Amino acid sequence: MKPFDEYSKQLKNYTLQQQPDPYLPVEEYFTCQVANMGSVMLPLLNGWYVHKDSHLTRYENGVVAGSLKAAIQECPELVDAHLNQLAAEDKDDLTASNETQYTDGIFIYVPDNVKVPQPFQIVSLVNSREDLLVQTRNIIHVGRNAELSLIQCDDSSKYGKTFLNIFTGIFLEENARLHYYKTENKEAESLLFHHINVYQKRYSFFLSNAITFNAGYVCNNIHVNLNEPFAEAQLYGLYLVDKTQHCDNRIKVLHNCPDCKSFQLYKGIMDDDAEASFHGHVVVQPDAQRTNAFQTNRNILLTDKAKINTQPFLEIYADDVQCSHGATVGQLDDEALYYLRTRGIGERSARKLLMFAFANEICQHVDIQALKDRLSDMVQRRLDGELTICDQCMMHNADNGHLIFPIDPTKL
Amino acid sequence: MLKIENLHVSIKGREILKGVNLEVNAGEVHAIMGPNGTGKSTLASVIAGKDGYDVTEGNIIYKGKNLMDLSIEDRAREGIFIGFQYPVEIPGVSIANFMRTALNEIRQYRGLDPLNGAQFLKLMNEKKKVVELTEKLSNRSVNEGFSGGEKKRNEIFQMAMLEPTLSILDETDSGLDIDALRIVANGVNQLKSPDNATIVITHYQRLLDYIVPDVVHVLFDGKIVKTGPKELALELEKRGYDWIKEEYEQRKLS
Ligand SMILES: Nc1ncnc2c1ncn2[C@@H]1O[C@H](COP(=O)(O)OP(=O)(O)OP(=O)(O)O)[C@@H](O)[C@H]1O
Ligand SMILES: [Mg+2]
């Protein structure tokens, strides 16, 4: 894993788009064709919120959603405190450059006691002939006893190289619940950094499930701050990489107070020369008694050249805690393979079944049925070599078919 | 159907089977009994084609073919089924998907068209009745979280689905309660036909009360040391294995 400053040095090779593109009809270009999603679309094109008239929508139930830049203008009382809190944090080069350079991003405010009935879906597309730098900042606020499901699709269309540097601040009030699902469908030429800071109050619940289907270089950073008792964070991730793709997951969970729970399960399959890393760091502060913290990272390498660097790491300063961590790098279960074959299933299919089962475990931790089915299907087809990126975006349908890099299970 | 001649098998250099001879014909039920650790499961594994078992001498001929030339999956496709003593759990692979893949690969091997979803579900519902399974299997993973008895019942369900020619049931009765034993044995009997054969490996007569064997063999010290009619099982139940061991030792001496 290269340090961030190596990447931040490359920022200057990319052009930041200073103005939004001319208006694009959202319905035409930003349609998610996955059946029964019923989501509310929040479109980003090259880092800018796409809109016709209204930058910011105020829903009847009090939810405010739309462009962060617009929110800063129109409702600073909802935004400023959060921005200030983020500004006070330690920063690495990339988060610092995001803070000074971000052009726009998504703002979602869910007021107290509102359970948002349909998921919100951020679709972030990049489509440019230039080597584009996209600096996006998102702020998500979920109020007391409120609930939100958020889907984020990071996609890119053809053309130049892109460097995406995304920063998301998530603020969960007492007993708030946020389910945050991400799919990363980037092409080989792209760099995608996504840094997420989560601040959780009493009894709040945060679930993150990030699936990397295809990437040039992807780095998912999640910093969870469990700041009040009985908060819980569940973090899931899956990375399916081949060719020379690279995916890092860097997790930091701070148990700052007693009685909180955190759970991490990250899985990956690496083929060809692909590389991945998992850094899971859990800090249990001295007074964070009765902490439950578990982390697991499981990997399958399909070639000798594929690499995984896994570092689960628990740093515990309290004594009354239940914590565990574990990492495996390996092959499929021989006994299971044998059992399948004794039923007449050929070795290749048996391996595929087991690989799918391995990967699909992550898809099981999705609460939106339509999304779960879709993700399972995509994982299956990714492993079958039929698909590398989600093909249900209008933007992708235009240039389908040239991004097929199958993961080959026979190489096991 | 199955002819095993002078079969010697070693695991990691240690000889486990030391010259097994066995012939099974279509329509027959054979029971194999014998003390723990004498090689009964080893015999089943060698027939299945498991890795790590070296056949140092002898042959297994099945339907005129040398089994050693066939891969694990091709043996199954030729109609061999093993009901395992310890079925493995496979999290994340649903029983339905598992069986559908298996069935369709077997059908493809035999030049038959694959079953479509509706045909498959219909078949699965029919076969569930064989072992009186009532729960939905479509979203349960293979053996995951199953009790010992449920795993055994699931083995016979798979046997019903795949309709093998030669089934080897390794201690299918162990872990079953009295009702489940009857259900599982009934299932095996329903599947019996003049064209297929079954080998049941067991320690107890009670299974053989239901699945009545034509022949009973005793495997001891890596060999079949005694073969007799179904009454032999009753005698073993009464007298244990000591007299068999003595007979065997005396024969060795003379
Ligand atoms: N994979 C293995 N590695 C090493 N030894 C093995 C292996 N499998 C079996 N054995 C040994 O081979 C011998 C025969 O084992 P097997 O499981 O065939 O016995 P069995 O007759 O089925 O016994 P039981 O009635 O207890 O099921 C035993 O001594 C066992 O320890
Ligand atoms: Mg045994």
Side-chain angles (χ1 to χ4, degrees):
Chain A
M1 192 174 70
K2 292 186 204 166
F4 284 138
D5 50 5
E6 274 202 40
Y7 291 102
S8 63
K9 277 187 208 130
Q10 295 180 30
L11 285 168
K12 61 178 189 316
N13 303 334
Y14 294 81
T15 318
L16 188 68
Q17 185 173 328
Q18 298 294 351
Q19 293 293 324
D21 284 84
Y23 171 70
L24 275 173
V26 173
E27 307 71 35
E28 216 170 286
Y29 286 90
F30 287 89
T31 305
C32 173
Q33 297 176 334
V34 175
N36 304 319
M37 285 284 278
S39 57
V40 176
M41 180 68 64
L42 298 169
L44 288 172
L45 180 61
N46 298 340
W48 293 85
Y49 183 69
V50 183
H51 58 90
K52 191 165 181 205
D53 310 306
S54 158
H55 297 61
L56 203 62
T57 309
R58 291 166 189 273
Y59 296 85
E60 256 174 37
N61 55 11
V63 171
V64 181
S67 150
L68 177 66
K69 272 286 157 80
I72 293 169
Q73 297 296 319
E74 294 178 27
C75 46
E77 72 283 4
L78 301 181
V79 192
D80 285 356
H82 292 328
L83 288 174
N84 292 339
Q85 185 172 348
L86 295 175
E89 293 280 359
D90 287 344
K91 289 178 246 331
D92 59 54
D93 290 358
L94 286 170
T95 50
S97 89
N98 179 284
E99 186 165 275
T100 53
Q101 289 204 312
Y102 72 89
T103 51
D104 197 1
I106 296 294
F107 175 69
I108 302 174
Y109 175 84
V110 183
D112 293 351
N113 304 312
V114 171
K115 297 184 175 25
V116 183
Q118 66 283 73
F120 278 60
Q121 183 175 11
I122 301 173
V123 173
S124 168
L125 291 176
V126 175
N127 185 57
S128 167
R129 280 173 207 284
E130 282 180 277
D131 290 353
L132 196 72
L133 170 63
V134 174
Q135 299 266 26
T136 303
R137 178 158 287 227
N138 307 312
I139 301 283
I140 319 292
H141 171 103
V142 185
R144 287 185 61 187
N145 307 319
E147 288 180 21
L148 176 69
S149 287
L150 179 62
I151 303 162
Q152 177 162 358
C153 305
D154 283 300
D155 296 79
S156 44
S157 188
K158 51 190 167 182
Y159 302 139
K161 294 194 277 186
T162 54
F163 192 128
L164 268 89
N165 187 26
I166 310 172
F167 187 97
T168 300
I170 291 175
F171 300 86
L172 304 181
E173 296 296 307
E174 232 179 275
N175 201 33
R177 293 181 74 86
L178 175 65
H179 291 189
Y180 187 17
Y181 305 110
K182 286 202 301 171
T183 68
E184 293 165 337
N185 309 290
K186 303 300 289 183
E187 59 199 295
E189 291 282 271
S190 64
L191 294 156
L192 169 60
F193 289 83
H194 192 166
H195 188 108
I196 300 172
N197 268 15
V198 188
Y199 303 91
Q200 292 191 238
K201 293 197 178 161
R202 193 174 290 265
Y203 289 106
S204 63
F205 176 83
F206 175 63
L207 178 143
S208 161
N209 193 332
I211 302 187
T212 307
F213 284 101
N214 208 66
Y217 177 89
V218 165
C219 178
N220 290 309
N221 272 340
I222 304 184
H223 283 197
V224 178
N225 298 276
L226 298 166
N227 288 336
E228 293 184 9
F230 302 104
E232 177 174 351
Q234 293 186 8
L235 311 175
Y236 299 94
L238 174 66
Y239 35 99
L240 305 173
V241 284
D242 58 359
K243 299 278 149 146
T244 54
Q245 299 174 22
H246 191 130
C247 179
D248 291 339
N249 280 289
R250 311 183 195 201
I251 316 297
K252 188 162 188 177
V253 178
L254 291 166
H255 281 261
N256 292 328
C257 59
D259 297 305
C260 290
K261 282 187 193 163
S262 69
F263 181 88
Q264 299 168 37
L265 177 63
Y266 279 76
K267 289 182 143 185
I269 299 176
M270 276 67 60
D271 195 3
D272 302 323
D273 298 295
E275 286 182 31
S277 76
F278 172 80
H279 288 240
H281 185 184
V282 175
V283 183
V284 180
Q285 302 290 14
D287 58 349
Q289 299 298 356
R290 297 172 302 282
T291 286
N292 275 281
F294 303 100
Q295 58 175 187
T296 309
N297 176 228
R298 306 225 301 137
N299 299 282
I300 293 178
L301 295 176
L302 297 181
T303 65
D304 291 340
K305 283 187 284 175
K307 283 198 194 87
I308 175 73
N309 175 355
T310 175
Q311 297 180 3
F313 176 34
L314 295 171
E315 198 180 332
I316 302 172
Y317 300 106
D319 45 27
D320 180 14
V321 298
Q322 279 199 40
C323 297
S324 74
H325 65 113
T328 59
V329 179
Q331 304 266 323
L332 299 173
D333 176 356
D334 283 338
E335 286 294 321
L337 206 55
Y338 167 64
Y339 188 81
L340 294 173
R341 293 177 70 195
T342 64
R343 287 354 182 193
I345 299 176
E347 186 170 358
R348 190 184 156 90
S349 319
R351 286 184 188 284
K352 269 204 218 167
L353 272 177
L354 294 178
M355 273 220 304
F356 174 69
F358 173 85
N360 194 43
E361 184 184 358
I362 299 299
C363 304
Q364 297 311 300
H365 299 279
V366 172
D367 284 345
I368 302 166
Q369 190 63 43
L371 181 64
K372 182 194 229 165
D373 294 346
R374 171 66 187 161
L375 290 172
S376 283
D377 181 56
M378 280 175 66
V379 167
Q380 179 83 67
R381 292 199 287 147
R382 175 78 168 104
L383 296 177
D384 287 350
E386 290 171 9
L387 157 139
T388 53
I389 54 175
C390 186
D391 54 359
Q392 294 300 299
C393 253
M394 270 306 209
M395 281 298 227
H396 278 151
N397 288 346
D399 62 313
N400 236 335
H402 74 290
L403 284 170
I404 303 297
F405 308 140
I407 284 182
D408 185 354
T410 54
K411 287 188 192 146
L412 265 172
Chain B
M1 175 185 294
L2 179 73
K3 192 162 189 190
I4 300 177
E5 294 166 331
N6 189 31
L7 184 69
H8 289 252
V9 174
S10 302
I11 307 173
K12 294 175 197 136
R14 187 180 140 214
E15 188 165 61
I16 308 291
L17 296 183
K18 303 172 182 171
V20 172
N21 292 293
L22 178 66
E23 191 169 347
V24 179
N25 298 309
E28 291 179 352
V29 175
H30 289 235
I32 297 180
M33 305 182 79
N36 294 129
T38 50
K40 302 181 296 297
S41 296
T42 301
L43 181 62
S45 299
V46 173
I47 294 172
K50 192 171 189 184
D51 285 344
Y53 295 73
D54 303 320
V55 176
T56 51
E57 236 187 293
N59 280 314
I60 309 176
I61 308 296
Y62 169 73
K63 291 204 267 189
K65 291 191 174 107
N66 186 344
L67 262 197
M68 294 307 138
D69 297 340
L70 297 180
S71 64
I72 299 169
E73 52 268 35
D74 281 353
R75 296 180 196 202
R77 293 162 181 172
E78 290 285 349
I80 290 177
F81 179 87
I82 313 289
F84 287 101
Q85 184 173 1
Y86 304 110
V88 292
E89 301 194 7
I90 312 184
V93 176
S94 76
I95 295 172
N97 193 16
F98 168 43
M99 278 292 104
R100 191 166 171 194
T101 309
L103 205 61
N104 282 339
E105 292 210 7
I106 291 172
R107 290 178 67 88
Q108 188 184 11
Y109 182 83
R110 296 178 187 167
L112 301 169
D113 285 336
L115 293 184
N116 66 30
Q119 290 166 323
F120 173 76
L121 280 181
K122 187 163 165 276
L123 182 74
M124 198 158 82
N125 284 329
E126 258 166 48
K127 300 299 185 181
K128 273 162 67 176
K129 291 186 194 132
V130 172
V131 281
E132 301 180 25
L133 276 175
T134 48
E135 61 183 313
K136 273 181 77 175
L137 294 177
S138 42
N139 36 26
R140 281 199 76 169
S141 292
V142 179
N143 294 323
E144 190 188 26
F146 284 24
S147 72
E150 284 170 338
K151 283 181 184 164
K152 295 304 174 68
R153 204 190 274 213
N154 187 34
E155 293 290 286
I156 304 306
F157 164 70
Q158 292 175 37
M159 173 180 164
M161 288 295 292
L162 302 180
E163 296 179 327
T165 330
L166 174 67
S167 304
I168 301 165
L169 307 179
D170 193 355
E171 295 197 28
T172 297
D173 51 339
S174 70
L176 293 179
D177 67 39
I178 298 156
D179 290 336
L181 179 71
R182 185 180 39 76
I183 290 167
V184 161
N186 258 332
V188 174
N189 286 335
Q190 283 175 58
L191 299 171
K192 200 178 149 181
S193 86
D195 302 321
N196 62 26
T198 311
I199 299 173
V200 289
I201 297 171
T202 184
H203 289 292
Y204 303 107
Q205 169 60 32
R206 53 172 196 197
L207 177 70
L208 305 179
D209 288 341
Y210 294 103
I211 305 174
V212 181
D214 299 296
V215 192
V216 175
H217 308 275
V218 178
L219 190 69
F220 179 69
D221 192 25
K223 282 195 217 88
I224 288 180
V225 295
K226 197 165 182 73
T227 294
K230 62 176 188 288
E231 288 75 19
L232 176 58
L234 283 169
E235 197 174 354
L236 291 170
E237 178 111 322
K238 261 187 240 129
R239 297 174 62 190
Y241 288 110
D242 282 352
W243 62 284
I244 301 266
K245 291 179 195 170
E246 273 162 34
E247 263 186 34
Y248 173 64
E249 296 298 334
Q250 290 209 329
R251 233 180 308 145
K252 255 180 45 183
L253 285 175
S254 60

